[in-house]
Each structure stands twice: as C-alpha cells, then as structure tokens.
C-alpha cells in the first residue's frame, strides 16, 4: 500500500506540513521548571465546581512556577456552542480570583499558540491525521453503524472485548483501489488509529506505566482499540484533539478529571505514534459529598445546586472563603499551614500535586461555612460593605437600600468582631442580610416568643419601666444595673444563680428580663450584646421599638 498516496487522496486540501506547525508553535521560552497548564471546558455555558477545582490546580501549578495558564475552548462534539459561554467561563473564574494568561478571551484570543478554540483548528488536526495516514499509523474506516452494531453483538455473544480492533477492524487492510472506489461512491468514513496493542485475555497482557503527578505510578493495560481520531465530519475526537493541542500549545501538565483515566492508554499510544513527549498527567479526584444517610456519593448536577458555581455567587459567598475552602480539600496539609500562617495570603501556600487526594475529594457545605466565618472575620468592615453591596446590586436589588448609610452598615458588620473572642456570625451575603435584618425597620420582625417565665402583663410592665429609666448615654454597667433593678422590682432574681438555688422565691431571673428587652428590640431571643446594639440603633429607634411592642 502506498500510504503517501492514500494520505493525498484523503486530505487533498491540506497544504501545511507538521513541520510548519512545529515552527509556528515553537517550544516556549520559559525557565526549565515553569509549568504550562490549561483549562479545557466545553462551551455549554454551565461551569461547575469541578471546573473551579481543576482550574485552581492549573492556576497554582502555573503561577507558582512562573509558567503560563491558558484557556482553550474544547468543542469537538456536535453539541451547541452556547453564545456567551466564554464570557461566562472567564467571569465566573475571575470572580474566584482565577485569571488566565493567554487563550480564548472576552475580545478574541491572546497568545501565540492559538487558535484556542478547537472548532477553528480543523486544518491542524487534519494535517496530523494526514501524517499518521502517510506513515501507515491511521486509516479510513468505512464501517457503517449497522456493521458496528453487528460486530458488537457478535463480541458480546463470544464474551470477548468489544470494539474495533484486530480482525474486527475490517477496513484496516483495504487496498488503495478499494478505498478509492469507496470514496468515489461517496461512502462516509472516519479515520481510525491503527493500534499496535494486543487485546489480552488475562492479566499477562502488555501494560503501560505512566507517572501521574497526583496518583503516582499508574499501571494499566495498553490500548488495543483502533479508536476514531477524526469523525466522518472531519472533526477530531477528544482523544486526538487533546494530544495535538497539548503538544502544539506546549502544555507541560494536563490537569483533568478522573473520568479520563480509562482513556489514558489511548492518549499514550497517540503521543507515541506522533513521536511526541506526553505531558505530565494530573488526574484529579471526583468531587463527592455525604448524603443524608452519611454515604459518599458523586456531586450531581440534578440533585446538588452547590455543584454550580452560580450557587456561590448568588448566595453571596466571598471568593476568598471559597478559595480558602478549596485549598483545604485540595491539599491535605493546607489546614496545618494555615494554623502556622494565619495571616498569609493563600498564594503563599506551597501547593503540590503530591498532597492531593486521589480517592474522592469530600465537599462539605458546613465546612465551607465554618471556613467562611473565619475568613470574613479578617475582612475589614469597609471591604465587606463593598462586597455585600455589589452582591445586592447583582442579585438582590431589593436590599440595596440597606447600603444607603455606609457608616451605619459598617458598625453593624463590625459588631462583636473586635472582642477578644470575636463573634463569628457572618457567613455569606444571603445569610448576613437575614442575620442583621433587625437593624432595618422595614425588615424588622418579631421572630421569637417571649420567655415562658415572664407572664404577659409583666412584659408590658418591664418594657414600660425600661423605657422610663432608659438613658441612651448610660454606659454598659449603668445600663445593666437598671435592668437588675427592674428585675428585682418585678420579682425576678438579680442573678441567675440565685434563681437556680431558690426557684420558689422568684418568677425567673434577670436573663429572662433582658430577653424581653431583646425581643422587643430585635425580635430575637439570641443576639449580640444588647447595649452595643442599642448604641448602633440609636436612641430614637431604640425607644420606638420598646414603645411599640405589643
Ligand atoms: N473538554 C474536556 C472536559 O470538559 C476537558 C478535559 C481535559 O482537560 O483534557 O471534560
């Protein structure tokens, strides 16, 4: 067979040679250990936590080593290209502090290794498919869908490996004349790799060894399938596009999900056949969660809203909290590092693929919330104000009026944060607004009942006495002395422990009395320090709330 002739026949339109592309995309001029990574999302417009998780690894590997992190739009299937998908990807990741150095961008590509959108790289893939055909390493396959189904049925019956390989690869040995006749008859065809692998009946078959930066040495059976590299439409499969792109874009580290592990042998064979050095693979763990029964399961798009990145933006999680949390699930030694470096920026943490889990990363919203409390504590009230306001602008315009008085809001946000044991009440915007709502008359509502120890007529008496004795300029201890007086006056113990010792002597204790005030003022039985809250609410609002409680 004259393979060169076959290559010309199949790819008459290709006028560039592989060498032309090697010259166009030379090795990058970077320090020896600089890493080049990429994110390769498909443009479906849906970007999820898994993308962010992977992007984080990519970004850290590249930027920690003085390398390059780029965005490539992977669009090899026939799925619809959602308008604006690139903007969604870039904006979503930017929100979490992840920026690309090159690749597909808001206003076209940047960088010398493009085009960065696979659907515009057709000629490049075809050029390298042509090379493989010319070397006898790939061939056109004319099997129809019916024929392939029949082969599969036969294989199932014989209980042997399914697929197109060996004797089942019936187009492998067609003569040039047969191929020409098929082409002339307009028969559709795909281009398949001519694999050198052998299907093994047992464990003794040939195996490949790959060093995965997360998982260590992987040993797997070699590929033996004549996988499709170009579909009938001339569009490459993921396998082929990945290999060609990552070579020509000079990617050094491929970070991708564990779902690609099973096709790694195909990729290894493709790199080998093309005569290229494969990149370092980093197969990340599946994101898992504990379900209600305490079982680990994969996060699912349908069941788990928290899989979508939008979820975090809409709920108003601060990006620093999400970053901090992701690092705790990405690297097992991050929390220890954080304890030793409480004030260092996360980028100072020496991130490494070896410290990544390979058996399923457990994602836990409660843990994220805990971390968020600590992270928000370190953010000054003025920065928190800006963050919350821009969240409201985007997602909750009905709350924008809460931000009219900056000084008032900053005092609210700072409440209890300067104490030696600071309060950690603030988690994410939606929760924060609910938590502080009583500071705003239009959101204020009585949520909790009065304490059972205090009969209704006492509530009115206590509030009336409180209002009468109220002096906004009292300091905290003067204020509390007055509450004690009121307690005693109406038959409540001045100290909880007196009540505990002799409950028969009292209706309740001073704590119950102050809860009455708390509920009238804030509508809640639990809140930060009442005196401080009154100072923020101001005299007029304080008196009004006490006076109008019914
Ligand atoms: N387009 C692939 C995906 O969305 C990317 C896999 C890779 O990074 O190689 O899963």
């Amino acid at each position: 067979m004259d393979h060169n002739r076959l290559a010309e026949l199949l790819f008459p339109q290709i006028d560039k040679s592989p060498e032309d592309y090697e010259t166009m995309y030379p090795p990058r001029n970077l320090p020896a250990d600089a890493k080049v990574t990429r994110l390769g999302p498909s443009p479906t417009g849906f970007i999820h936590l898994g993308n962010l998780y992977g992007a984080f690894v990519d970004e850290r590997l590249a930027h920690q080593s003085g390398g390059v992190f780029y965005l490539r739009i992977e669009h090899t299937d026939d799925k619809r290209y959602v308008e604006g998908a690139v903007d969604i990807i870039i904006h979503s990741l930017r929100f979490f502090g992840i920026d690309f150095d090159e690749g597909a961008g808001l206003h076209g590509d940047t960088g010398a290794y493009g085009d960065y959108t696979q659907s515009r790289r057709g000629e490049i893939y075809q050029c390298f498919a042509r090379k493989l055909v010319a070397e006898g390493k790939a061939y056109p396959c004319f099997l129809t869908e019916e024929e392939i189904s029949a082969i599969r049925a036969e294989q199932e019956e014989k209980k042997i490996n399914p697929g197109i390989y060996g004797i089942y690869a019936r187009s492998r040995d067609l003569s040039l004349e047969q191929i020409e006749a098929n082409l002339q008859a307009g028969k559709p065809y795909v281009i398949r790799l001519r694999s050198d692998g052998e299907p093994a009946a047992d464990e003794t078959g040939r195996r490949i060894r790959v060093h995965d930066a997360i998982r260590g040495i992987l040993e797997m059976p070699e590929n033996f399938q004549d996988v499709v590299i170009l579909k009938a439409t001339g569009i490459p499969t993921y396998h082929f596009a990945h290999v060609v792109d990552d070579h020509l874009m000079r990617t050094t580290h491929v970070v991708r999900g564990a779902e690609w592990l099973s096709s790694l042998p195909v990729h290894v064979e493709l790199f080998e056949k093309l005569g290229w050095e494969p990149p370092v693979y980093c197969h990340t763990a599946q994101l898992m969660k504990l379900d209600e029964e305490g079982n680990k399961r994969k996060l699912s798009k349908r069941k788990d809203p928290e899989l979508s990145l939008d979820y975090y933006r809409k709920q108003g999680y601060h990006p620093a909290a999400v970053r901090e949390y992701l690092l705790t699930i990405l690297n097992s030694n991050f929390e220890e590092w954080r304890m030793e470096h409480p004030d260092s920026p996360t980028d100072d943490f020496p991130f490494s693929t070896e410290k990544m889990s390979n058996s399923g990363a457990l994602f836990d919203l409660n843990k994220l919330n805990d971390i968020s409390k600590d992270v928000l504590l370190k953010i000054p009230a003025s920065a928190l104000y800006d963050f919350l306001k821009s969240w409201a602008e985007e997602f909750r315009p009905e709350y924008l009026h809460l931000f009219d008085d900056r000084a008032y809001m900053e005092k609210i946000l700072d409440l209890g944060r300067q104490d030696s044991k600071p309060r950690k009440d603030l988690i994410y915007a939606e929760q924060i607004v609910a938590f502080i709502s009583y500071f705003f008359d239009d959101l204020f509502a009585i949520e909790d009942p009065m304490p059972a120890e205090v009969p209704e007529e006492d509530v009115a008496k206590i509030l009336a006495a409180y209002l009468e004795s109220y002096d906004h300029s009292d300091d905290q201890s003067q204020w509390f002395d007055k509450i004690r007086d009121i307690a005693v006056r109406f038959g409540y113990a001045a100290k909880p422990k007196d009540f505990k010792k002799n409950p028969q002597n009292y209706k309740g204790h001073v704590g119950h009395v102050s809860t009455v005030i708390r509920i009238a003022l804030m509508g809640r039985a639990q809140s930060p320090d009442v005196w401080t809250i009154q100072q923020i609410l101001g005299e007029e609002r304080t008196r009004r709330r006490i006076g109008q409680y019914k």
Side-chain angles (χ1 to χ4, degrees):
M1 158 80 93
D2 181 348
H3 294 296
N4 273 318
R5 175 81 197 98
L6 176 58
E8 276 164 26
L9 208 61
L10 294 174
F11 299 100
Q13 76 285 14
I14 296 302
D15 53 7
K16 285 204 179 62
S17 70
E19 293 68 37
D20 291 337
Y21 289 114
E22 296 289 346
T23 323
M24 267 168 81
Y25 307 116
R28 289 171 185 265
N29 193 5
L30 289 170
D33 52 0
K35 299 182 169 85
V36 178
T37 59
R38 84 300 194 273
L39 190 71
S42 52
T44 58
F46 180 72
I47 168 136
H48 57 78
L49 200 61
N51 298 124
L52 179 64
Y53 181 87
F56 211 95
V57 180
D58 284 317
E59 190 273 343
R60 285 293 75 214
L61 293 183
H63 292 159
Q64 220 168 241
S65 64
V68 173
F69 173 39
Y70 69 90
L71 174 63
R72 181 168 73 221
I73 300 302
E74 304 224 324
H75 190 220
T76 56
D77 51 24
D78 309 320
K79 272 201 222 111
R80 213 159 59 86
Y81 188 109
V82 173
E83 251 350 280
V86 176
D87 295 32
I88 294 177
I89 294 164
I90 290 177
H91 282 129
S92 308
L93 292 174
R94 178 170 297 165
F95 180 77
F96 293 102
I98 293 184
D99 283 304
F100 297 98
D101 307 305
E102 84 180 36
L106 298 175
H107 311 287
D109 286 355
T110 38
Y113 290 82
D115 200 298
Y116 295 92
T117 300
Q118 285 183 336
S119 55
R120 292 199 289 261
R121 296 172 61 79
E123 277 185 17
I124 303 179
Y125 305 120
Q126 285 163 22
C127 171
F128 286 95
R130 182 186 194 282
K131 169 183 154 82
L132 289 181
V133 170
E135 293 171 357
K137 296 171 181 166
Y139 64 91
C141 169
F142 296 91
L143 286 175
T144 62
E145 271 180 38
E146 293 73 36
E147 286 167 322
I148 292 178
S149 306
I151 290 174
R152 178 165 295 253
E154 183 188 330
Q155 289 166 332
E156 261 169 36
E157 207 183 290
K158 292 188 181 151
K159 297 199 179 356
I160 55 174
N161 290 306
I164 304 302
Y165 60 90
I167 55 162
Y168 301 102
R170 297 201 190 118
S171 290
R172 257 190 176 206
D173 299 316
L174 294 179
S175 67
L176 195 56
E177 292 69 35
Q178 284 169 310
I179 294 174
E180 265 186 300
N182 281 345
L183 293 178
Q184 255 159 29
K187 283 198 186 168
Y189 64 95
V190 298
I191 303 289
R192 285 184 188 272
L193 171 75
R194 187 188 299 271
S195 173
D196 287 328
E198 305 252 351
D202 55 31
E203 295 302 298
T204 61
R206 287 200 305 235
R207 299 174 80 78
I208 56 160
R209 276 166 70 86
V210 179
H211 182 259
D212 183 291
I214 297 174
R215 291 158 192 264
I217 299 284
L218 297 173
E219 237 198 69
M220 335 175 60
E222 68 174 356
N223 173 58
F224 61 87
Q225 300 276 351
D226 283 3
V227 291
V228 175
I229 60 173
L230 285 188
K231 300 183 220 180
T233 47
I235 292 175
T237 54
Y238 166 79
H239 307 311
F240 195 54
H242 146 53
V243 170
V244 170
D245 291 346
D246 282 319
H247 171 72
L248 291 181
M249 297 182 185
R250 310 292 169 178
T251 310
T252 64
H253 287 65
V254 166
V255 178
R256 62 182 182 185
E259 66 274 21
W260 298 109
L261 267 176
S262 59
S263 42
L264 185 57
V266 173
H267 306 149
V268 168
E269 187 173 9
L270 281 169
F271 271 106
E272 211 174 85
K273 290 262 176 326
L274 285 158
W276 297 334
E277 186 74 28
V280 176
Y281 285 99
C282 313
H283 287 96
T284 58
Q286 275 283 356
L287 286 182
M288 316 284 276
K289 78 181 266 183
L290 283 183
D291 65 14
E292 295 69 33
E293 281 88 49
N295 299 318
K296 256 191 182 187
R297 65 163 172 78
K298 274 192 229 167
L299 276 172
S300 110
K301 192 168 166 180
R302 199 167 44 82
K303 291 193 220 147
D304 306 309
E306 71 266 33
L307 185 60
S308 157
L309 284 193
D310 267 0
Y311 174 84
Y312 303 91
R313 296 190 57 190
K314 284 195 186 129
Q315 293 287 84
Y317 279 94
H318 196 285
V322 177
R323 276 179 78 89
E324 182 91 7
Y325 176 60
L326 274 182
L327 272 169
T328 66
I329 50 174
L330 276 166
N331 259 194
S332 53
N333 54 334
F334 176 74
E335 283 178 277
E336 203 183 310
W337 178 87
R338 176 49 89 207
M339 279 195 276
E340 284 159 19
H341 305 85
D343 298 313
S344 303
T346 43
D347 284 359
D348 287 359
F349 170 69
F351 178 83
S352 77
T353 47
E354 290 81 17
K355 290 279 194 288
M356 286 179 70
S357 146
N358 56 20
S359 61
L362 201 56
F363 189 80
D364 177 0
L365 272 180
N366 294 326
K367 178 94 198 250
L368 167 62
N369 288 344
D370 278 347
I371 287 181
S372 190
K373 290 177 190 169
D374 287 325
V375 170
L376 294 200
L377 199 55
K378 296 203 180 116
I379 300 178
S382 64
L384 214 46
Y385 171 95
D386 293 334
F387 167 71
L388 293 171
K389 188 175 178 192
S390 60
W391 167 80
E393 265 158 14
E394 193 169 354
F395 299 105
R396 292 294 219 146
E398 66 271 36
Y399 291 148
L400 262 179
H401 67 284
L402 309 189
F403 299 89
D404 289 348
D405 183 345
R406 184 174 189 119
Y408 186 57
M409 182 56 116
E410 287 187 11
K411 272 191 236 157
I412 295 170
L413 294 174
D414 249 348
L415 180 59
R417 303 208 313 161
Q418 317 303 350
D419 303 359
S420 57
K421 263 193 105 193
R423 295 187 62 94
K424 296 184 185 174
D425 301 310
L426 311 182
I427 311 175
Y428 53 91
E430 194 74 58
Q431 172 271 339
I432 293 172
V433 168
F435 184 73
I436 63 172
S437 59
Y438 58 81
F439 282 99
F440 301 91
D441 291 334
D442 61 324
L443 300 180
F444 171 66
I446 303 291
E447 292 171 9
D448 290 332
M450 285 292 175
E453 290 78 358
V454 187
E456 225 178 289
E457 61 277 15
D458 279 10
V459 169
K461 283 194 251 170
I462 289 169
L463 292 177
Y466 183 69
L467 196 54
E468 200 184 318
S469 70
Y470 188 76
D471 182 342
H472 196 64
S473 60
D474 282 345
D475 66 19
Q476 193 152 11
S477 75
Q478 288 166 324
W479 166 79
F480 197 63
D481 285 345
K482 286 184 178 170
I483 303 227
R484 272 211 197 98
D485 290 346
I486 295 174
V488 173
R489 185 165 6 139
F490 295 112
Y492 296 79
K495 292 185 182 140
K497 68 170 194 278
D498 297 342
F499 172 65
K500 275 196 197 116
K501 243 190 258 161
N502 297 304
Q504 70 288 354
N505 295 350
Y506 306 99
K507 296 186 204 167
H509 60 73
V510 66
H512 301 122
V513 173
S514 62
T515 300
V516 169
I517 294 162
R518 210 180 273 270
I519 288 177
L521 271 176
M522 288 153 260
R524 302 177 192 178
Q526 304 285 333
S527 77
D529 176 63
V530 178
W531 180 83
T532 315
I533 290 175
Q534 292 177 154
Q535 293 304 308
I536 299 175
L537 286 170
E539 177 163 10
E540 192 273 329
R541 206 189 260 113
T542 301
R543 286 184 178 278
R544 178 155 40 84
R545 294 232 176 132
I546 299 290
Q548 76 192 11
Y549 180 83
K550 273 191 281 304

